[in-house]
């Protein structure tokens, strides 16, 4: 049983119209709303032609038209067997118009060839030139790895990363993740059909120990996306950090990956200290949360607090997602004036004092 994760670029469009390389490059990072109607129509026509090209050609010729399929077919020895066609395939692509089009082409071709399980996975910001947005996209990707890919691996699937296609920044990130998550990384140099196979690093690393004494700090960097003074991160492994020119540090790709893989254990263990000076815990709240220590519900409580703090620091321009924050009607539970959804029927009741929100109590919601 195998899971193949393939990074998708724009090679299949470029192969159809080599003379349009410059034009395709100019539009490579644009999303649907950033293109004119004429540009969209031209790209759609290229996509239609590309799918026709692939459908009419042999496996060998297909490998010349698509870097992604060159890697996949190369992994299968040039011709996939019926057993290979039962593998699970994830096609990782950007949220650009070309990224979506190329993934659609490859997915349709694979399904037409009999591959039964092919899923497109869109990761926002993967191709952007904006470093801040790209860092956010890495977070989305790591979350997908933890929530979708890790369960396959833990179920005994062999995980293979095919990084033959895709944007350079994406390949760097996925190759880094693959050193820990994948059983094998495969690639093919441009203009070649010879498969390069990189096995998983034979190392044992216990990342939980690296973070154990620094959970509050790492939580701020990971969940609140804070850059902290380098001195505060003293003691954290250098590989987990990304240093900035202003003397601060954030989490590196490795750091984010380690956090995503260990966060649940820390969050479930106990009520973590408040991640922000804008939020303070009342004694009754601490006592009401204590019975959930070591349980999944404690993780939900810590996550609800993260979501509320993100809401506060974003100047309340963002929603609190499922952790709904709303004002109480009347005065049913003084001094609390508001509630935040925690889990099931449980709510965190809170009020504001001098610009600081005090969490008063964890209790059943009011009806």
């Amino acid at each position: 049983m195998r899971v193949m994760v393939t990074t998708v670029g724009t090679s299949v469009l470029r192969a159809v119209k080599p003379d349009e390389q410059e034009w395709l490059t100019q539009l490579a990072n644009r999303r649907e709303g950033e293109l004119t109607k004429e540009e969209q129509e031209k790209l759609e026509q290229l996509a239609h032609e590309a799918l026709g090209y692939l459908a009419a050609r042999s496996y060998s010729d297909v490998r010349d038209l698509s870097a992604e399929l060159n890697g996949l077919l190369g992994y299968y020895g040039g011709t996939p067997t019926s057993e290979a066609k039962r593998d699970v395939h994830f096609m990782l692509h950007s949220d650009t118009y070309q990224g979506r089009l190329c993934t659609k082409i490859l997915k349709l071709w694979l399904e037409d060839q009999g591959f039964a399980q092919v899923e497109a996975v869109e990761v926002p910001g993967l191709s952007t030139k904006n470093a801040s947005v790209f860092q956010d996209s890495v977070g989305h990707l790591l979350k997908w790895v933890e929530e979708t890919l890790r369960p396959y691996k833990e179920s005994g699937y062999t995980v293979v990363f095919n990084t033959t296609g895709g944007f350079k920044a994406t390949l760097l990130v996925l190759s880094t993740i693959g050193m820990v998550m994948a059983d094998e990384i495969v690639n093919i140099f441009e203009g070649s059909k010879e498969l390069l196979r990189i096995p998983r690093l034979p190392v044992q690393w216990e990342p939980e120990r690296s973070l154990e004494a620094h959970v509050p700090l790492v939580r701020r960097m990971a969940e609140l996306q804070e850059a902290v003074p380098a001195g505060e991160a003293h003691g954290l492994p250098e590989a987990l950090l990304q240093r900035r020119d202003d003397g601060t540090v954030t989490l590196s790709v490795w750091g984010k990956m380690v956090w995503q893989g260990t966060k649940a254990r820390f969050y479930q263990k106990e009520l973590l200290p408040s991640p922000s000076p804008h939020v303070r815990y009342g004694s009754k709240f601490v006592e009401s949360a204590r019975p959930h220590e070591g349980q999944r519900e404690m993780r939900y409580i810590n996550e609800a607090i993260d979501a509320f703090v993100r809401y506060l620091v974003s100047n309340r321009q963002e929603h609190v997602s499922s952790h709904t924050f709303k004002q109480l009607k009347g005065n049913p539970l003084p001094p609390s004036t508001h509630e935040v959804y925690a889990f099931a029927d449980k709510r965190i009741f809170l009020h504001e004092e001098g610009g600081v929100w005090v969490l008063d109590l964890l209790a059943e919601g009011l009806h």
Side-chain angles (χ1 to χ4, degrees), residues 155-173:
S155 297
Y157 281 74
T158 297
V159 177
V160 181
F161 282 10
N162 169 29
T163 61
T164 307
F167 293 94
K168 290 182 180 179
T170 309
L171 304 185
L172 288 172
V173 172

Side-chain angles (χ1 to χ4, degrees), residues 4-8 68-69 72 89-93 103 106-107 110 118-122:
M4 301 289 295
V5 179
T6 297
T7 51
V8 180
E68 297 83 2
L69 296 180
L72 279 180
H89 288 266
F90 291 109
M91 315 295 286
L92 297 186
H93 66 95
T103 303
L106 300 181
K107 184 174 185 294
L110 286 168
V118 185
E119 181 178 335
V121 180
E122 182 172 295

Side-chain angles (χ1 to χ4, degrees), residues 204-215 218 234-237 240 258-259 261-263 265-266 269:
Q204 293 293 327
W205 184 27
E206 298 181 3
E208 188 170 353
R209 291 186 179 182
S210 302
L211 298 183
E212 198 161 13
H214 307 279
V215 171
V218 176
H234 180 71
L236 274 171
L240 304 184
V258 169
W259 174 252
T262 58
K263 169 185 170 180
R265 302 171 207 170
F266 294 124
K269 182 179 179 181

Side-chain angles (χ1 to χ4, degrees), residues 318-359:
E318 299 177 5
H319 295 292
V320 195
S321 186
S322 59
H323 305 280
T324 307
F325 172 61
K326 60 184 179 181
Q327 187 171 359
L328 299 175
K329 295 180 180 179
N331 190 26
L333 196 65
S336 299
T337 57
H338 292 71
E339 67 175 9
V340 170
Y341 177 85
F343 62 89
D345 194 38
K346 295 288 187 177
R347 307 291 185 270
I348 298 173
F349 295 95
L350 63 165
H351 72 280
E352 190 174 15
E353 287 184 7
V356 176
W357 284 91
V358 181
L359 308 192

Side-chain angles (χ1 to χ4, degrees), residues 67-89:
E68 297 83 2
L69 296 180
N70 191 15
L72 279 180
L73 294 173
Y75 180 82
Y76 293 125
T79 305
T81 64
S82 57
E83 179 182 357
K85 291 179 180 180
R86 291 195 291 271
D87 288 347
V88 178
H89 288 266

